[in-house]
Structure formats: structure tokens, C-alpha cells
């Protein structure tokens, strides 16, 4: 923590995840907050976001989140049928009831929360009903969809990896089910990113904007990775805080080489009109390694083209329906080849990186 604030004096965001980060206990996070307070610069904005499965959230946890200003993300894959298909406890029982109990605790203490769902080959076919559940029952206003793509078969659930075209169909289903008059400002990360791209604007989502230089992940054992998507790949380890300083790791040749591989342009991208708003997707979801082609390339192209046609038609109902996404996109910068900040050695530049932390 001290090394981080010595290097970065811009806005800082700490993302706490795991595993299950609540297992670390409230005293751990109180200690982390004290470290942040003691080492950050005067007037430096520091945010904390915690991504949890919510099964351990109690009134005590909810009150801590409210008091400390933590942003909370809840992992929930839809209703009980969709959620319990994969999210089971060590005894094989579904976890939906415990997640719902955690959500109710957050509500009792007026703690806003976002939702992250994992899209699989199974639940993609039920996306319309799942989207309605998340917006009407969970009443989520900020939703993100993580596509389950297990190209390298690290997971035992590899047979449930999302199939091509399912992603585009699922996002289209969400767009079709979108509230007709989105007066309350619903945000679906993927729709926001597609709308921004169709307008030629830079998405806030790293998997669209080529923003791998803006993050690094601190593993529980001190190992540093480009982000949490690579902690199961030893060859992606950038260094370890137990033997090297953070500055040496972030400005070192290993990170420079890894990020250069991430930013290599696939041959198909050279002739794609959407490259600047897609950047060949997340490197962790490219076929045959980080220099390969994004698994969901065609899905994204279809979504960009569909959304651009929708906006070009200038239909009042479409503008009214997606006015929140359009309003946010209007505030984003237009993309250019000159938006990346890089030191001469190809490493970090001050105020650029967000720390992703896995509690020990």
C-alpha cells in the first residue's frame, strides 16, 4: 500500500476480490483503510470496490460498507434456477438463498450495489427472463455480464463455455427487454460499451478500450499479474512483492513485454472498422493465446453494427429507451491512436494504474 501511494498520486481505486474477499474479515479492511489514509496524498481520491458472492453479508458487514463508503458488487447469475446451476457450496447445495439474504442486508442499510453475472451456454438461452429478474426483482441499476469462455479448459465446467453467437443474442435480448423509458438510468456495462463504440467513443470497460496498462493485480502471495484474469497462468506473473519493489515490477521488462503482446494487432483487426472501439477484446479471451483473435469477435461486430444502424435511424423510441447510455457516451472521449500513456520504457505512467487486490 505504501509503495503504491509513493508511485501514484492520481485517483486510486482498489478492487478487492478473490476467491471470496469477505473471508478476510472486517478488521482486515479497517486496517487497509487506515493504511490508505496514512499513505495517500492530501486531497487524493481513493475508492474501494469489493466483489462478493454475498453469502457472508450480515448487518454488520452492510453497516461497515455504508460507513466506509465501499462500492459493493454482488455476484448473482439470475433467479434461483440459473444461479444454483453453478454456484453451489462445498456440500453441493445451491447458494441463492444465502445471496438473497445478503442482498436484503444491504438494502436494510441503504447500501447501493451493482450486480455481476456470469453468462454461460446454459443461462444464455434464458437471458430475457434473467434480465427482467435482475432489473425488476433485484432492482439492480448497474449490471455487468462476464462471458464464461474457457478456451484453455482450466475449469471443470469447460463444457458450459459460451458458444459463439450466444453472446450477441444475449445482449440483444437485454436491449429488447430494456425499459422503454429509462428514466432511472439503468447501466449495463456491455450495452454502454456497445453504444459508446457505435458512436465512436471510448468505452470505460477495459476489454473494449485496450486499457490493460491501467490495472495490475496483487495476489494473496504477493505475486503481481496484469489483472485477475491471468492469475492461473504462471507465465503471466510480472514479479513478486516479497522480493522486488512495486516500481521495479511495473516499470520492468517483463511487464513491458507482456503488455506489448497484449497490444499486438491481429491481422483481422487491420481491416475491421471497429478496432479502435474493440481492441481485439480481452487478451484472456483470445484463441490460442494473448496474440490470437478475440473469441467473441463476430458477436461484437454484429452488436456494433446493429446498434449503429439503430442510432442512425434516429427513431425517438430508441433514443428514449437508451438515453442513459447515450448520455454517458456523450461524455466519453473520442478514440484516437494517441490516448495511451506510456513511459519511454513501455511501463506505467503516474496516476495510471488501478490495484486489484486479493486479500491474504
Amino acid at each position: 500500500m505504501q509503495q503504491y501511494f509513493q508511485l501514484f498520486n492520481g485517483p486510486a481505486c482498489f478492487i478487492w476480490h478473490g476467491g471470496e474477499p469477505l473471508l478476510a474479515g472486517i478488521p482486515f479492511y479497517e486496517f487497509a483503510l487506515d493504511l490508505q489514509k496514512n499513505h495517500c496524498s492530501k486531497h487524493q481520491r481513493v475508492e474501494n470496490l469489493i466483489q462478493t458472492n454475498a453469502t457472508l453479508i450480515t448487518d454488520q458487514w452492510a453497516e461497515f460498507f455504508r460507513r466506509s463508503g465501499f462500492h459493493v458488487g454482488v455476484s448473482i447469475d439470475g433467479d434461483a434456477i440459473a444461479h444454483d446451476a453453478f454456484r453451489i457450496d462445498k456440500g453441493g447445495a445451491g447458494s441463492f438463498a444465502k445471496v438473497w439474504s445478503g442482498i436484503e442486508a444491504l438494502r436494510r442499510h441503504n447500501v447501493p450495489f451493482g450486480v455481476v453475472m456470469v453468462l454461460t451456454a446454459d443461462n444464455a438461452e434464458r437471458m430475457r427472463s434473467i434480465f427482467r429478474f435482475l432489473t425488476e426483482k433485484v432492482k439492480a441499476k448497474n449490471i455487468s455480464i462476464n462471458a464464461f469462455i474457457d478456451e484453455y479448459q482450466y475449469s471443470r465446467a469447460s463444457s458450459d463455455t459460451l458458444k459463439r453467437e450466444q453472446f450477441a443474442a444475449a445482449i440483444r435480448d437485454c436491449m429488447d427487454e430494456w425499459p422503454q423509458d429509462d428514466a432511472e438510468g439503468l447501466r449495463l456495462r456491455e450495452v454502454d460499451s456497445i453504444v459508446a463504440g457505435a458512436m465512436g467513443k471510448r468505452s470505460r470497460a477495459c476489454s473494449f478500450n485496450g486499457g490493460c496498462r491501467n490495472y495490475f493485480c496483487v495476489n494473496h502471495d504477493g505475486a503481481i499479474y496484469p489483472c485477475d484474469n491471468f492469475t492461473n497462468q504462471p507465465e503471466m506473473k510480472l514479479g513478486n512483492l516479497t522480493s522486488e519493489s512495486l516500481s521495479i515490477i511495473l516499470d520492468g521488462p517483463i511487464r513491458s513485454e507482456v503488455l506489448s503482446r497484449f497490444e499486438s494487432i491481429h491481422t483481422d483487426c487491420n481491416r475491421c472498422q471497429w478496432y479502435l472501439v474493440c481492441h481485439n477484446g480481452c487478451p484472456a479471451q483470445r484463441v490460442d493465446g494473448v496474440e490470437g483473435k478475440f473469441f467473441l469477435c463476430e458477436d461484437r461486430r454484429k452488436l456494433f453494427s446493429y446498434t449503429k444502424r439503430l442510432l442512425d435511424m434516429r427513431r425517438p423510441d430508441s433514443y428514449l429507451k437508451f438515453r442513459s447510455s447515450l448520455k454517458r457516451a456523450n461524455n466519453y472521449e473520442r478514440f484516437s491512436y494517441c490516448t495511451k500513456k506510456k513511459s519511454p520504457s513501455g511501463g506505467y505512467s503516474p496516476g495510471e494504474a488501478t490495484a486489484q487486490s486479493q486479500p491474504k
Side-chain angles (χ1 to χ4, degrees):
M1 195 80 75
Q2 182 178 8
Q3 292 184 58
Y4 177 89
F5 285 113
Q6 288 173 344
L7 293 173
F8 302 104
N9 55 19
C13 178
F14 291 83
I15 304 172
W16 304 93
H17 60 94
E20 175 46 51
L22 268 59
L23 288 169
I26 292 176
F28 172 87
Y29 292 103
E30 290 176 331
F31 177 63
L33 290 172
D34 285 341
L35 287 176
Q36 292 173 352
K37 183 178 179 180
N38 291 335
H39 295 295
C40 70
S41 303
K42 188 177 181 180
H43 305 307
Q44 184 174 11
R45 182 164 59 88
V46 180
E47 292 184 308
N48 287 280
L49 186 153
I50 195 162
Q51 185 62 38
T52 172
N53 62 29
T55 59
L56 299 178
I57 294 180
T58 60
D59 287 307
Q60 185 181 12
W61 269 110
E63 177 57 24
F64 168 75
F65 293 145
R66 188 198 62 78
R67 185 176 69 250
S68 59
F70 265 62
H71 301 285
V72 180
V74 172
S75 299
I76 182 171
D77 294 339
D79 56 23
I81 295 174
H83 184 87
D84 287 346
F86 294 100
R87 295 187 184 269
I88 57 177
D89 61 24
K90 62 182 180 181
S95 61
F96 179 84
K98 292 181 179 178
V99 175
W100 197 256
S101 176
I103 288 174
E104 289 180 330
L106 294 173
R107 287 173 174 163
R108 282 195 298 273
H109 292 265
N110 298 313
V111 178
F113 63 92
V115 162
V116 176
M117 72 160 287
V118 175
L119 188 67
T120 67
D122 176 67
N123 63 21
E125 303 304 316
R126 300 181 54 232
M127 194 62 232
R128 287 177 181 267
S129 63
I130 289 173
F131 182 75
R132 289 196 299 270
F133 177 83
L134 294 177
T135 55
E136 297 172 8
K137 300 298 183 183
V138 179
K139 300 187 184 302
K141 296 302 178 187
N142 195 330
I143 304 171
S144 299
I145 296 176
N146 288 341
F148 179 69
I149 302 171
D150 197 18
E151 280 298 287
Y152 305 102
Q153 299 186 358
Y154 288 128
S155 167
R156 289 175 296 176
S158 58
S159 61
D160 294 291
T161 190
L162 198 66
K163 296 174 178 60
R164 289 183 174 91
E165 298 189 1
Q166 283 188 309
F167 179 77
I171 300 303
R172 284 279 301 270
D173 285 345
C174 293
M175 296 174 77
D176 289 344
E177 293 293 330
W178 206 272
Q180 192 60 44
D181 183 1
D182 184 21
E184 297 185 12
L186 176 63
R187 180 197 294 263
L188 175 57
R189 180 185 63 192
E190 286 62 37
V191 170
D192 262 27
S193 297
I194 294 297
V195 168
M199 296 173 64
K201 296 295 190 74
R202 178 187 179 93
S203 166
R204 296 284 176 86
C206 59
S207 67
F208 284 81
N209 65 28
C212 293
R213 294 182 181 273
N214 298 332
Y215 297 86
F216 63 90
C217 177
V218 183
N219 213 17
H220 64 89
D221 59 358
I224 302 288
Y225 292 87
C227 82
D228 60 301
N229 287 322
F230 291 99
T231 56
N232 56 3
Q233 300 182 46
E235 68 275 14
M236 290 295 171
K237 185 171 74 172
L238 307 179
N240 195 298
L241 291 174
T242 61
S243 57
E244 303 167 275
S245 71
L246 183 61
S247 62
I248 288 176
I249 295 172
L250 296 185
D251 211 14
I254 297 177
R255 182 170 184 256
S256 179
E257 189 271 334
V258 167
L259 294 179
S260 293
R261 289 175 60 197
F262 286 0
E263 294 166 357
S264 61
I265 301 178
H266 191 272
T267 52
D268 288 355
C269 294
N270 286 321
R271 53 181 180 272
C272 179
Q273 72 179 105
W274 303 113
Y275 172 71
L276 284 182
V277 292
C278 171
H279 282 82
N280 197 22
C282 175
Q285 295 179 337
R286 294 174 185 168
V287 180
D288 298 325
V290 298
E291 293 164 303
K293 184 177 178 179
F294 182 46
F295 183 77
L296 297 174
C297 169
E298 292 303 322
D299 290 65
R300 275 198 181 175
R301 275 206 270 203
K302 289 177 181 178
L303 287 168
F304 281 131
S305 298
Y306 167 76
T307 305
K308 188 173 190 307
R309 287 196 303 272
L310 200 64
L311 297 179
D312 286 347
M313 291 168 65
R314 299 184 179 277
R315 289 172 47 181
D317 57 334
S318 295
Y319 276 84
L320 188 64
K321 194 173 187 180
F322 300 110
R323 63 180 180 179
S324 294
S325 294
L326 290 164
K327 184 178 180 180
R328 286 188 289 269
N330 276 326
N331 294 324
Y332 298 164
E333 63 180 313
R334 286 201 170 272
F335 232 122
S336 74
Y337 284 100
C338 303
T339 57
K340 293 173 186 169
K341 297 185 293 182
K342 192 187 302 183
S343 72
S345 63
Y348 67 88
S349 60
E352 178 189 306
T354 293
Q356 300 177 316
S357 303
Q358 295 181 331
K360 187 172 181 179

